[in-house]
Amino acid sequence: MAARNVPSQETMRSALALACRAPSVHNSQPWKWKLAERTVHLYLDRSRLLGVLDPCGRELVISCGAALNHARIAFAAEGWQTTVHRLPNPAQPDHLASLEFARLDEVDEHVVTLAAAAAARRCDRRPFLTDPVPRAVLVPLREVARLEGCTLTFAVGDRERRELELAIEHAGSEQRQRPEYREELAAWAGRHASPEGVPVRSIPAEHLRGMPERDFALVAEGELPVPILDDGAVLAVLSTRGDSYESWLAAGEALSAVLLTATEHGLATCPLSQISEGAASRNQVREEILGGTGFPQLAIRIGWPVTHEFPGPLTPRRPVSDVVEPLFPQD
Ligand SMILES: Cc1cc2nc3c(=O)[nH]c(=O)nc-3n(C[C@H](O)[C@H](O)[C@H](O)COP(=O)(O)O)c2cc1C
């Protein structure tokens, strides 16, 4: 029998299961995958919108971009090169991407490593070791972001670091004062046995003094044991040239590439998006960290994880059957 020139439906579903390991804001998993015989289509699921935190859906699109990058890696690891058409239909902006396939002659070992990183990665909200993260490890992270058309800027100087921490802190304290923010956070964080949202076992059991983080303790008591450590995280800002759907999708693809490359190097990571959820913090980061250019999309904490109880729990996902459906229902 001739070799297939498109992945089987079974391969599509297994690659998409890995794609769904992508990070998403509040673990909202705002994606819908539609399968045709020869193509796969990614849609934004607007029913997952966080109306207070993210009224225009920017972080939802970033989350879908991360899933798209995961999907490209997952298919490549199964021997399929993808050609991605981003935002293929201007009349349907929530149709984020169409994927076409070509058989690869051989599977690149590096892609297999990245696919393993996608399966193993999880956000780590604990302090990181103070051991320095060498430049040789940070440079590839900047490079993979650049390849996705985005910029990763490390806040390495004392002044930049302080400014970024202040921006995160200011954004957090403004959000804390809004009852509607707390209500929305409570609806998504502090879950025990739910396939979506941020579970208690991924939230630190103790509030971490001075560490930049989203304050989930506002609404939920965390269960993740936290070692007493000075946090040695490197902080970085992921930014884009524009601030359109295209830019947000690219930011998500870059976020995924950065997190998986970091995971591959044994680093722990956590995205922090408060800096772009309020105009004042976003401007502050643009002026103080990015030299007045570009649009900050989110910050990322990066560092060496504590070995104590590493790696922490994997976060649950919705069943693949909830997020994958035929493009044409009669298929
Ligand atoms: C756009 C975006 C914004 C996020 N913002 C934050 C944040 O501010 N604080 C945080 O702790 N995690 C943040 N996360 C991480 C998600 O909470 C996390 O990906 C989700 O809970 C799934 O968990 P996992 O990444 O461990 O699989 C963000 C992720 C994305 C994609």
Side-chain angles (χ1 to χ4, degrees):
M1 202 170 76
R4 293 179 61 94
N5 59 5
V6 284
S8 65
Q9 295 282 307
E10 198 189 344
T11 301
M12 286 187 185
R13 282 173 194 274
S14 95
L16 294 177
L18 187 59
C20 292
R21 289 304 316 159
S24 61
V25 57
H26 287 3
N27 201 17
S28 53
Q29 306 163 56
W31 39 70
K32 187 66 93 185
W33 300 96
K34 297 196 183 189
L35 306 193
E37 206 181 314
R38 317 185 69 81
T39 50
V40 168
H41 302 264
L42 169 61
Y43 286 79
L44 179 67
D45 179 353
R46 276 199 179 269
S47 69
R48 326 285 299 168
L49 187 75
L50 303 163
V52 178
L53 185 87
D54 183 33
C56 63
R58 185 181 57 85
E59 294 190 47
L60 289 197
V61 178
I62 295 178
S63 304
C64 287
L68 176 58
N69 182 264
H70 270 52
R72 283 159 53 196
I73 290 166
F75 278 109
E78 301 254 15
W80 294 97
Q81 183 176 22
T82 47
T83 301
V84 180
H85 304 280
R86 293 171 181 80
L87 298 158
N89 184 352
Q92 268 188 40
D94 290 350
H95 184 184
L96 296 176
S98 297
L99 280 65
E100 287 179 344
F101 303 97
R103 222 325 144 224
L104 286 162
D105 292 335
E106 56 185 289
V107 175
D108 180 351
E109 264 178 45
H110 181 220
V111 151
V112 174
T113 318
L114 287 175
R121 184 209 58 83
R122 73 279 321 262
C123 289
D124 193 338
R125 299 188 177 86
R126 299 171 300 180
F128 299 150
L129 300 178
T130 49
D131 304 24
V133 183
R135 214 183 119 70
V137 179
L138 293 178
V139 169
L141 305 186
R142 198 170 56 202
E143 180 57 15
V144 294
R146 191 187 65 76
L147 291 174
E148 301 300 334
C150 299
T151 305
L152 189 69
T153 307
F154 295 104
V156 280
D158 287 347
R159 190 193 64 79
E160 286 86 358
R161 166 100 192 186
R162 188 71 206 124
E163 289 291 345
L164 186 52
E165 285 176 346
L166 275 177
I168 295 171
E169 206 175 293
H170 284 162
S173 77
E174 266 180 21
Q175 289 177 328
R176 262 197 297 279
Q177 287 162 28
R178 297 178 63 197
E180 64 275 27
Y181 170 81
R182 295 198 301 270
E183 218 170 280
E184 186 177 76
L185 190 64
W188 285 97
R191 305 293 184 93
H192 280 275
S194 168
E196 61 196 19
V198 182
V200 283
R201 56 178 203 275
S202 300
I203 298 175
E206 283 162 58
H207 188 68
L208 308 160
R209 211 168 5 99
M211 205 182 94
E213 56 165 351
R214 191 183 290 280
D215 191 359
F216 290 105
L218 258 184
V219 296
E221 204 164 310
E223 289 179 359
L224 182 66
V226 178
I228 309 296
L229 273 183
D230 283 338
D231 179 33
V234 171
L235 293 180
V237 175
L238 183 66
S239 63
T240 48
R241 267 194 295 276
D243 203 26
S244 59
Y245 255 53
E246 284 90 343
S247 319
W248 303 339
L249 197 60
E253 292 184 81
L255 173 67
S256 162
V258 169
L259 299 186
L260 297 185
T261 306
T263 306
E264 197 188 5
H265 284 97
L267 290 163
T269 53
C270 188
L272 293 174
S273 48
Q274 302 97 314
I275 53 159
S276 47
E277 288 162 8
S281 317
R282 207 177 192 198
N283 281 337
Q284 184 183 351
V285 171
R286 180 196 303 195
E287 293 309 318
E288 303 296 339
I289 318 286
L290 306 182
T293 56
F295 293 85
Q297 298 298 343
L298 36 76
I300 310 176
R301 293 179 67 243
I302 303 164
W304 301 113
V306 283
T307 47
H308 163 75
E309 290 191 26
F310 182 75
L314 262 187
T315 318
R317 292 295 185 270
R318 300 157 76 195
V320 175
S321 54
D322 280 11
V323 293
V324 176
E325 60 186 45
L327 180 63
F328 305 110
Q330 71 273 21
D331 274 8

